Amino acid sequence: MTARRKKTAHTTTKSRTVLAIDVGGSHVKVMTNNERIKREFESGPELSAKNMVRKVKDLTKDWSYDVISIGYPGPVAGNRPLREPFNLGEGWKGFDFQKAFGKPTKVVNDALMQALGGYKGGRMLFLGLGTGLGSAMIADGEREPMELGHLPYRKHKTYEDYASEAGRKHSGNKKWRKHIADIVKHLTTALEPDTVLLGGGNVKRLDKLPPKCRRGDNADAFTGGFRLWDGPPAEPRKKLG
């Protein structure tokens, strides 16, 4: 009887359905670990947190899920955004997604969720080449969201100013690729990762990858969202001081 009960409990854990939500500057994408079908809608500067929840509920009304993971484009603490996003509407800071959805919900920085999805061990730096420049570090399983994109780079501008989609359009693809290679070189020298995972929509524009780099997969954000519910640690470690 004891062995049978253990098996039942294990099966219940494995059968838990996770809805992963990837909140981006241009689109919000959703997927469950059972259906593995991506659905999405446009986001943009008018999308508030409440509207996002409403649209996700409408978009997934024919799906059933038990828990939720959200990748948010900004810093997160206690499963709530710490500030308003740059490319979306208002009402995100401090928003209680668990209460709004009515289901257990984990919220992490979107770059960290993508990094978790592509992590294969060791010390890995993630850089997301998209609307902005997302960043995260995973060292031997320890998760650390980062804001490297806002560090000063050159000409009184930041890494993100050069690596972002706006930076690519301003510089052109050829110069943008050179900036990416230089940024990767600077950050790998400082952080000493074993590997660098390059993700985001613009990674496809790199015809050659810098040393230590590999390409992320389009599904990494969803895989990371599913992995958030695999077990501890549930949240990134707290910073001291």
Side-chain angles (χ1 to χ4, degrees), residues 162-222:
Y162 284 86
S164 64
E165 172 65 3
R168 184 189 69 80
K169 289 181 177 179
H170 176 76
S171 301
N173 284 333
K174 186 175 181 180
K175 286 187 177 180
W176 177 80
R177 292 187 186 109
K178 290 182 178 180
H179 290 315
I180 295 301
D182 190 49
I183 289 170
V184 169
K185 181 180 178 180
H186 280 223
L187 295 179
T188 53
T189 299
L191 299 171
E192 299 183 333
D194 301 318
T195 59
V196 180
L197 179 66
L198 296 178
N202 276 338
V203 70
K204 63 187 177 185
R205 301 182 187 278
L206 296 176
D207 48 9
K208 182 180 179 182
L209 298 184
K212 291 189 176 183
C213 292
R214 59 184 174 88
R215 296 180 193 272
D217 188 273
N218 289 335
D220 281 347
F222 296 121

Side-chain angles (χ1 to χ4, degrees), residues 3-222:
R4 190 175 299 131
R5 282 197 297 269
K6 287 183 177 180
K7 183 177 181 180
T8 301
H10 179 72
T11 302
T12 301
T13 300
K14 290 295 183 181
S15 63
R16 176 173 55 190
T17 302
V18 182
L19 173 67
I21 304 173
D22 181 21
V23 181
S26 59
H27 291 84
V28 174
K29 304 172 185 178
V30 299
M31 181 185 290
T32 68
N33 58 333
N34 286 342
E35 295 292 339
R36 303 281 175 160
I37 297 172
K38 183 181 72 173
R39 293 179 180 177
E40 62 182 60
F41 57 86
E42 291 185 359
S43 53
E46 301 301 320
L47 186 69
S48 67
K50 286 184 178 180
N51 285 339
M52 188 278 283
V53 172
R54 177 180 57 80
K55 288 188 175 185
V56 168
K57 286 182 176 181
D58 289 342
L59 192 63
T60 62
K61 58 187 177 183
D62 59 329
W63 288 354
S64 61
Y65 45 90
D66 306 303
V67 296
I68 298 171
S69 298
I70 300 176
Y72 173 76
V76 174
N79 282 327
R80 300 191 188 194
L82 285 177
R83 70 182 184 208
E84 299 293 335
F86 289 110
N87 301 301
L88 301 175
E90 298 180 348
W92 296 82
K93 181 179 178 181
F95 189 83
D96 190 341
F97 289 99
Q98 179 161 299
K99 181 178 179 181
F101 278 107
K103 293 180 183 292
T105 302
K106 294 182 180 180
V107 186
V108 297
N109 174 262
D110 61 341
L112 180 61
M113 196 161 87
Q114 290 183 59
L116 184 59
Y119 181 63
K120 296 181 179 180
R123 289 176 55 85
M124 187 195 79
L125 172 65
F126 171 82
L127 297 175
L129 308 177
T131 306
L133 176 63
S135 56
M137 190 95 176
I138 302 182
D140 299 321
E142 196 73 47
R143 310 166 190 173
E144 188 64 52
M146 308 181 89
E147 294 291 328
L148 300 176
H150 303 302
L151 293 176
Y153 177 44
R154 57 169 63 176
K155 296 182 179 179
H156 305 292
K157 293 185 177 181
T158 66
Y159 286 119
E160 185 166 273
D161 290 328
Y162 284 86
S164 64
E165 172 65 3
R168 184 189 69 80
K169 289 181 177 179
H170 176 76
S171 301
N173 284 333
K174 186 175 181 180
K175 286 187 177 180
W176 177 80
R177 292 187 186 109
K178 290 182 178 180
H179 290 315
I180 295 301
D182 190 49
I183 289 170
V184 169
K185 181 180 178 180
H186 280 223
L187 295 179
T188 53
T189 299
L191 299 171
E192 299 183 333
D194 301 318
T195 59
V196 180
L197 179 66
L198 296 178
N202 276 338
V203 70
K204 63 187 177 185
R205 301 182 187 278
L206 296 176
D207 48 9
K208 182 180 179 182
L209 298 184
K212 291 189 176 183
C213 292
R214 59 184 174 88
R215 296 180 193 272
D217 188 273
N218 289 335
D220 281 347
F222 296 121

